[in-house]
Amino acid sequence: MRSPTRRVLLASPRGYCAGVDRAVQTVEKALELYGPPVYVRKEIVHNRHVVQTLRSRGAVFVEENDEVPEGATVVFSAHGVAPEVHASAAARALKTIDATCPLVTKVHHEARRFAAEGYDILLIGHPGHEEVVGTAGEAPGNVHIVDGPEGVDGVTVRDPSKVVWLSQTTLSVDETMLTVERLKQKYPLLESPPSDDICYATQNRQQAVKRVAPFCEVVIVVGSRNSSNSLRLREVAIEAGAGAAHLVDFAHEIDDAWLAGVETVGLTAGASVPGDLVRDVLVHLAERGFTDVAEVAGARERTVFALPQELRADMREPGPGRDGGTEP
């Protein structure tokens, strides 16, 4: 008797978002223009493979600006930095290229504006995450970090009539709105940001997982463990009805025990994951009988962000050290 075909439901959209693509291209183009080493403060995006690949090409990842030689080039990651980081770079005469995702920059602008108007800002996010640290640094005297619904009780503000919430861009949409509802119960006059802070790509990938998860015994999420949006995809898959969900950086990390007795596997990838890692997982699954692949299409993404202006300026001015050679 012929065994039933094992299938993969491939969530779409998945993988790279516009902000990640821009950040990775920024480091690649900087290496091309200036030659290695190019220093990068923190991981440019939260993905092991991307960081390893860029490191092999000459990128040097550091934790703080004081690890960068004076006068050298440093790229700020997609997660954004606080004003004090820009100030310390200027003090060391570093050439800075800011690869902050424009959607994160929007939240920074909101924090500055509301702080200038005297608001207490309830920033929903994970303490210590680079994006939260950068946003909070825009208005440290006004920002209170709220780590999910359970963090609401610990919040105290100066004036309950002047309170606004903002959020980390890579959170679970559902959990964020639950946190907002809890905050509104405590502060009925709580105001919302002028537009949703959770980025379109995060929302689209979570919605895509919700579509496939109810039909899957197991969902594989390709992404790194320090990637907030990848971790949220795993959580969303479980909440949406998947029998199990696992986060892996690479195909070889998939445990065959996860696939025992399974007929349908869901597959997605965090917003900082390149497509070749997903293809590797598809090959790995096909070798184990999962040869029927169906893409479950969702939102179509057409967003493209221009490279940082500092980089574009140098791209327009070829010269020594900018294209690997010397102009005649």
Side-chain angles (χ1 to χ4, degrees), residues 145-156 175 179 182-183 186:
I145 298 171
V146 185
D147 190 6
E150 63 280 2
V152 172
D153 290 342
V155 175
T156 302
E175 183 177 358
T179 305
R182 289 280 304 275
L183 286 169
K186 187 171 183 177

Side-chain angles (χ1 to χ4, degrees), residues 109-190:
H109 289 329
E110 291 170 350
R112 290 197 299 271
R113 178 168 72 84
F114 283 113
E117 295 173 4
Y119 281 78
D120 276 278
I121 299 165
L122 306 184
L123 177 59
I124 303 171
H126 302 302
H129 189 280
E130 290 158 40
E131 183 185 328
V132 171
V133 172
T135 302
E138 294 286 358
N142 298 70
V143 171
H144 310 267
I145 298 171
V146 185
D147 190 6
E150 63 280 2
V152 172
D153 290 342
V155 175
T156 302
V157 302
R158 296 166 299 177
D159 182 354
S161 70
K162 294 202 72 172
V163 187
V164 65
W165 70 270
L166 303 177
S167 79
Q168 182 179 333
T169 63
T170 54
L171 299 180
S172 159
V173 177
D174 294 337
E175 183 177 358
T176 299
M177 296 319 297
L178 179 60
T179 305
V180 171
E181 288 307 309
R182 289 280 304 275
L183 286 169
K184 285 183 176 178
Q185 291 171 14
K186 187 171 183 177
Y187 301 113
L189 298 180
L190 178 72

Side-chain angles (χ1 to χ4, degrees), residues 133-261:
V133 172
T135 302
E138 294 286 358
N142 298 70
V143 171
H144 310 267
I145 298 171
V146 185
D147 190 6
E150 63 280 2
V152 172
D153 290 342
V155 175
T156 302
V157 302
R158 296 166 299 177
D159 182 354
S161 70
K162 294 202 72 172
V163 187
V164 65
W165 70 270
L166 303 177
S167 79
Q168 182 179 333
T169 63
T170 54
L171 299 180
S172 159
V173 177
D174 294 337
E175 183 177 358
T176 299
M177 296 319 297
L178 179 60
T179 305
V180 171
E181 288 307 309
R182 289 280 304 275
L183 286 169
K184 285 183 176 178
Q185 291 171 14
K186 187 171 183 177
Y187 301 113
L189 298 180
L190 178 72
E191 296 185 32
S192 300
S195 61
D196 197 346
D197 284 345
I198 297 178
C199 88
Y200 75 93
T202 296
Q203 296 186 54
N204 289 346
R205 280 149 190 72
Q206 290 177 14
Q207 290 299 321
V209 166
K210 288 180 180 180
R211 281 190 292 273
V212 304
F215 307 100
C216 302
E217 291 103 314
V218 62
V219 170
I220 303 296
V221 178
V222 186
S224 294
R225 283 163 177 75
N226 64 338
S227 166
S228 177
N229 77 86
S230 298
L231 290 169
R232 300 293 83 73
L233 286 174
R234 179 187 173 280
E235 294 170 359
V236 168
I238 294 292
E239 292 165 359
H246 303 281
L247 183 66
V248 300
D249 268 294
F250 304 103
H252 66 78
E253 295 175 357
I254 296 173
D255 188 335
D256 283 346
W258 300 344
L259 307 177

